[in-house]
Amino acid sequence: MIRVGVLGARGRVGVEVCKAVHAADDMELVAAVDAGDDIESLSAAEVVVDFTHPDVVMDNLKWCIEHGVHPVVGTTGFDAGRLGTVRGWLDANPGVNALIAPNFGIAAVLMMHFAQQAARYFDSVEIVELHHPNKADAPSGTARRTAELVAAARREAGLGAMPDATTAELPGARGADVDGVRVHGVRLAGLIAHQEVLLGGDGEILTIRHDTMNRSSFTPGVLLGVRRVRELPGLTIGLENLLDL
Ligand SMILES: NC(=O)C1=CN([C@@H]2O[C@H](COP(=O)(O)OP(=O)(O)OC[C@H]3O[C@@H](n4cnc5c(N)ncnc54)[C@H](OP(=O)(O)O)[C@@H]3O)[C@@H](O)[C@H]2O)C=CC1
Ligand SMILES: O=C(O)C1=N[C@H](C(=O)O)C[C@H](O)C1
C-alpha cells in the first residue's frame, strides 16, 4: 500500500483526488490537509499530492522534500526560476523525487503532444486557453507548457519568428508572449478548462482542441504519478514522461 497525503484536500480538484486515492486498492489516504490544517500530519505519507495555489505551493514542496516525502504536484504557476529552486532542494535531499505536471488529463497531454508534433509544419501557432473565473494564474500552466513545447519544436525545425504586422495595439490585445508564442486567456463563468491550439499555414488551418468536462478526469493521471514517482529520479516535469507516447 502506498501511503498518500493530499494538500488542498477540500479544493475543487483535491476532493476528487481524495476520493480516487480512497478507492484505489494499492493506496491508503493517510492525511487530507487544507488551508489552516496542520501540515505535520503529512509526515505519515510517502507521497503527497498538491492541488493548492501558486502562492503556497513552493512552501509545500519545500516541506515535503525536506521531510523525505515525494511530491506529485498539479498546482500551476511554475516558471524556470521556481523549477530551478525545486531542483536545488531535491539535490540537497537525495532519494526524494518530485513530479510536477501542468495537466494530469490524458487527453490534455495528448493535445500538447500533437501540438508539438504539428508545430514545425506551420508558419503561425497561437494558443487560446479558456477557464472558469476562479482561476488564479494566467496563462494557464497547460498553455505555458504547450507554448514552450511548440517553441522548442519550431526552433529545432529552424523556423524563425511568426508573421505579424501589428505595430499598434492596446496592451494585451495580442496576448502574452511565451517563448515567442502568443497565448490568449479567457475567464468565463460556466467553463471548466479548455484549450485551442491554432496552427496556420498557406491556405490551411489546423485546430487542436481539448475540453475538460469534469475534474475527476485528472485523477487517473494523478494516481499514475503517485504509483510511479518513487522510481523517477529527481524532478520530472510533465505526465508525458510516464506515458509511452
Ligand atoms: N495539473 C492539473 O492537472 C490541474 C491543475 N490545477 C491547478 O491546481 C490548483 C488548484 O486548483 P483547484 O482545485 O481548482 O483550486 P481550489 O481553490 O478549488 O483548491 C485549492 C485548495 O487548496 C487550499 N489551500 C490553500 N492554501 C493551502 C495550504 N497552504 N495548504 C493546504 N491547502 C491550501 C484552498 O483553501 P482556501 O480556498 O481556503 O484557500 C483550497 O481548498 C491550481 O493551481 C490549478 O491551476 C487544476 C486542475 C488540474
Ligand atoms: O485551474 C484550473 O482549473 C486548471 N489548471 C491547470 C492549468 O493551469 O493548466 C490545468 C487545467 O487547465 C485546469
Side-chain angles (χ1 to χ4, degrees), residues 74 76 102-103 131-132 135 137 139-143 192-194 212 215 218:
T76 46
N103 203 311
H131 280 82
H132 60 92
K135 185 165 177 54
D137 55 320
S140 71
T142 308
I192 297 184
H194 316 261
T212 302
R215 291 182 174 89
F218 299 116

Side-chain angles (χ1 to χ4, degrees), residues 10-11 43 56 58 73 76 87 128 136 143 150 160 165 178-179 187 206 215:
R10 291 193 289 274
S43 306
V56 302
M58 290 301 279
V73 180
T76 46
R87 277 196 192 92
V128 185
V150 162
V178 181
D179 217 353
R187 297 291 174 266
L206 172 64
R215 291 182 174 89

